[in-house]
Amino acid sequence: MSLARLLALTAALLASQAFAERAPPFDVTDLEGRRYTLGALSGKIVVLNFWFKDCPPCRHERRALNRVVARYQSNPGVVFLAPALDKADELRPFLSRYPLHYAVIPEAEELAETYGVSGFPTHVVIGRDGNIVERWTSATDAFLRLTEAIDSQLEPPQARKARAPTIVLPAQGSPVWESPLLVSPERPVRGGTVKLYYAPASLQHPAEALVAWDVHGDGSFTQGVAPMRPRGVLLSYELKLPEDATLVHLRVLSRGDRRFIEHTLPISDAQGRPVRNAFVDVGACGIPLPIERELEHHPHSPFALLARLEERLGPPAHASELAPGELRELLKTAEGTALELLAITVDALLLARDFKNVTQVLDHMVRLEPGAFLTRRALSRLLTQPYGDVSRQWPPTLLPWAWQVLAERDDVWSRLAASQSSASVTDTLIAERICSTWRAAEPDNPLAHDCLARVLEQQGRLPEALAASRASLEAASTGKLPLYHPGGWSQAARAQEELWARHAELSLESRELAGAPEP
C-alpha cells in the first residue's frame, strides 16, 4: 500500500464512525510489573505489536520499532505495548540481548486471540477515541506505516506538513536512525517497484542524497543516477523494475552526511523464490552472487554451473586445464536457451584459452541475435580480457566486426569495451564515439571522461586527452565517484588514485612531446 493510499484510507476511517472498529478492552501487565488497561489509556494513542521471540520477521523489524519509540518518547500521549506469546523467563534473557523499547507483555495469547491476530508480527494502532485506525500483519515498512498512523492522530496533515522537523534522541543517547536506508519491499518481484527511503543524520537540516542503481536482467543491464526527493523528514526514490529483472544493486551517497550505502536486492518470483540470474559471475557492476544459493534454487542454471567450474579451477593461470570433456558435461547438465548456452560456451572457451573455437561460437551468436544482451556481453568480454599477443591468432575480421556490433548501441557493454580494452585491440574511432556519447549522457561521471582521455591518448591527440583527463579529475573531486564505481569508499579512492596516476603520466608525455623540462 502506498503512503498516499494509506493516508487516504486513514482519513476515510476517521471521518466515518459507521465503519470504525472499536478496540476490544484489555487489562495486562508488562515485564516490569506495570499494569495497562484500555480504559486508563483513554485519550491516548496506543500502539500494539503482537510478536514472539522465535519469529524471524518480528526480530527483523525490532530496530525499526525502536526508532518509532525514540521518535515519540517525549510525547506521553503515545503508548507502545508489545504483547508476546512467550513466557516472562524466556523473554528477559532474549530482550537483554535484543532490546525492544516497547512495554513487553508476556504470555499474551488471550489478548492476541481477542484482537483476532492470526499472523506475526501484527501491528494495531488505537486512536484517542478508542477506535482502531490501522492494523496490518507484516514486518515491511514498519517505521513508515507506524509514524504515518500516529502522526495522523496527533495533528491534521496540513499542520504536520508545515511543522519544522525536529531531532529526537532515545534515552541512551544513540541516534534515532540506526539504519539510514529503508528499502521496500525487501524482496521485490519482477516488474514491481522498489521504494527507497533515506534518513538524514540530522532531521533539522535534511541532507541531499543521490541514488545510483544497476539492474541486472535476463536480457538487459541498466544503470542510472538520480537525486532523492524530500518526503517529510525522509528522502525518497522509486525505481521501477523491468519484467526480466534478476538483481538490483543500489548505492546511496549523501555528501552532507558523509555517508555511502550499498545494498543488493535479489529479485523473487510470485512464489518468493529468487529468480535465476545471468550475473552469477562478477558481472558488470562488480557484485558477485553466492553460487551455492543460486544452484540451490536453480540447479541447472548454466551461468551458476560455469561459475562453480571457474571457482574449482582456481587462479586464471590454471584455467587452461579446462578440458573439452568438462565443457561437454557442463553443457549436458545446463538448461537454458540456445543463446545462453552459446554465451557460456564462449565464457568457457575464453577461460580455457581455446581461442581457435571462439570465433565460430561468436559467429553463431551474432547470426542468432546480433543485438542481444548476451551477444554484446560476449563481444565485450572478448575485447577486454588480457590475452596479450594471443589476439594475433584471431581472424583479421574478428575485432572490427566485434566493434561494429558494440557500436550499434550505447550500453554498459560498449562502454566497458571502450574504456577497458587494450591499445592492441581497440578501434579508436569507434571507441571515441562510444566514450563521447557516454560523457554526454553522464557529464558528472569521472569514468566517462577518463574513457575519452584513454582513447584520445591512443590516437596521439595528447592536448585533448589531457583536457579530458583533467575533466575526469574535476568530476571525481565532487565526491560522486562511488556512485559510478561500485565497491565502497576504498574502491572509489583507489579508482581516483588511478585517475591521478594516468593524468600524471599523460602530463609528462605531453611535456616531453613539447620539449618542456620536467617539473
Side-chain angles (χ1 to χ4, degrees):
M1 182 185 296
S2 67
L3 292 177
R5 185 180 173 193
L6 175 62
L7 288 172
L9 179 59
T10 303
L13 287 170
L14 293 174
S16 176
Q17 293 299 319
F19 294 96
E21 179 185 359
R22 197 70 182 170
F26 58 77
D27 186 345
V28 296
T29 303
D30 71 4
L31 286 172
E32 306 301 323
R34 293 171 297 204
R35 183 184 175 192
Y36 299 87
T37 66
L38 186 59
L41 297 174
S42 178
K44 297 186 177 183
I45 301 168
V46 181
V47 183
L48 301 173
N49 170 44
F50 293 89
W51 69 294
F52 60 97
K53 68 180 183 65
D54 292 326
C55 161
C58 301
R59 299 172 70 158
H60 177 75
E61 70 170 0
R62 175 181 50 82
R63 291 185 177 180
L65 301 186
N66 289 340
R67 293 199 301 271
V68 177
V69 175
R71 181 184 174 99
Y72 301 101
Q73 68 172 0
S74 62
N75 190 333
V78 185
V79 179
F80 297 89
L81 305 178
L85 304 185
D86 311 278
K87 296 180 180 180
D89 58 354
E90 297 173 335
L91 287 170
R92 286 193 175 93
F94 176 82
L95 292 171
S96 66
R97 185 175 181 182
Y98 306 104
L100 176 62
H101 299 159
Y102 280 47
V104 178
I105 314 298
E107 300 183 60
E109 295 94 339
E110 183 176 343
L111 183 58
E113 183 176 352
T114 300
Y115 274 76
V117 175
S118 58
F120 297 88
T122 290
H123 299 275
V124 179
V125 180
I126 303 172
R128 291 174 170 176
D129 57 0
N131 291 326
I132 294 176
V133 297
E134 181 68 289
R135 69 176 293 157
W136 72 93
T137 300
S138 171
T140 302
D141 289 343
F143 179 86
L144 294 170
R145 299 184 71 170
L146 284 172
T147 54
E148 287 288 346
I150 295 170
D151 287 349
S152 71
Q153 290 291 295
L154 289 175
E155 54 190 334
Q158 295 85 353
R160 273 191 291 115
K161 186 175 181 180
R163 184 181 66 180
T166 57
I167 186 165
V168 181
L169 294 178
Q172 297 91 326
S174 60
V176 173
W177 310 109
E178 295 180 25
S179 176
L181 183 65
L182 309 174
V183 182
S184 174
E186 294 182 345
R187 292 186 178 181
V189 297
R190 290 182 162 186
T193 299
V194 175
K195 298 180 181 180
L196 309 177
Y197 300 94
Y198 173 73
S202 169
L203 302 187
Q204 289 285 9
H205 305 287
E208 294 182 355
L210 297 171
V211 58
W213 63 88
D214 305 322
V215 181
H216 301 223
D218 289 333
S220 64
F221 181 91
T222 58
Q223 298 173 298
V225 176
M228 301 188 79
R229 299 183 178 89
R231 189 163 191 168
V233 298
L234 302 176
L235 300 174
S236 68
Y237 190 80
E238 293 189 5
L239 177 63
K240 176 67 176 177
L241 302 179
E243 294 294 337
D244 71 338
T246 56
L247 179 136
V248 180
H249 177 217
L250 300 166
R251 300 178 296 285
V252 174
L253 174 67
S254 177
R255 287 174 293 173
D257 291 346
R258 299 186 64 82
R259 280 175 173 167
F260 177 72
I261 305 163
E262 282 194 281
H263 196 72
T264 302
L265 292 172
I267 308 299
S268 301
D269 57 20
Q271 290 72 40
R273 186 181 69 163
V275 297
R276 199 190 69 178
N277 199 298
F279 277 90
V280 178
D281 60 354
V282 173
C285 74
I287 301 298
L289 291 177
I291 299 171
E292 296 308 322
R293 188 202 69 181
E294 186 79 2
L295 289 173
E296 177 185 353
H297 296 285
H298 306 284
H300 303 294
S301 166
F303 305 100
L305 290 172
L306 180 61
R308 187 168 67 178
L309 181 59
E310 291 186 68
E311 189 178 71
R312 181 178 63 78
L313 289 174
H318 304 294
S320 59
E321 296 175 6
L322 177 63
E326 290 181 283
L327 176 58
R328 285 195 296 269
E329 289 302 316
L330 173 63
L331 294 176
K332 286 180 183 178
T333 308
E335 293 180 1
T337 65
L339 194 64
E340 290 173 341
L341 296 178
L342 287 171
I344 66 160
T345 301
V346 170
D347 288 350
L349 291 172
L350 292 177
L351 178 69
R353 298 299 190 262
D354 183 0
F355 304 108
K356 180 179 179 181
N357 294 309
V358 166
T359 306
Q360 184 178 359
V361 180
L362 283 172
D363 183 61
H364 283 304
M365 293 186 73
V366 173
R367 280 191 288 142
L368 188 63
E369 291 187 58
F373 162 78
L374 288 173
T375 303
R376 297 174 62 79
R377 172 180 178 269
L379 293 173
S380 182
R381 287 173 65 93
L382 176 72
L383 296 173
T384 56
Q385 296 299 315
Y387 300 128
D389 293 338
V390 179
S391 60
R392 296 178 182 176
Q393 301 177 16
W394 296 336
T397 57
L398 176 60
L399 295 181
W401 166 69
W403 280 108
Q404 287 294 338
V405 174
L406 288 171
E408 292 174 0
R409 184 186 306 169
D410 174 35
D411 64 3
V412 63
W413 303 120
S414 61
R415 293 176 179 182
L416 282 175
S419 60
Q420 297 184 16
S421 60
S422 64
S424 62
V425 299
T426 301
D427 184 320
T428 58
L429 293 179
I430 290 179
E432 180 188 358
R433 188 164 74 241
I434 292 172
C435 296
S436 298
T437 303
W438 182 10
R439 186 174 67 168
E442 298 179 352
D444 60 349
N445 186 344
L447 303 180
H449 294 279
D450 182 59
C451 175
L452 185 59
R454 292 176 73 254
V455 174
L456 292 173
E457 181 185 9
Q458 291 172 2
Q459 293 178 351
R461 297 158 62 183
L462 295 185
E464 295 171 82
L466 194 61
S469 178
R470 190 176 298 110
S472 73
L473 293 176
E474 291 173 356
S477 68
T478 65
K480 297 180 182 178
L481 187 55
L483 291 173
Y484 299 102
H485 194 283
W489 291 115
S490 60
Q491 291 290 340
R494 281 194 287 271
Q496 191 162 355
E497 288 177 2
E498 292 174 2
L499 293 178
W500 275 105
R502 283 201 292 272
H503 183 76
E505 292 176 1
L506 192 57
S507 298
L508 289 175
E509 187 178 353
S510 299
R511 284 176 175 272
E512 291 173 359
L513 186 65
E518 294 188 11

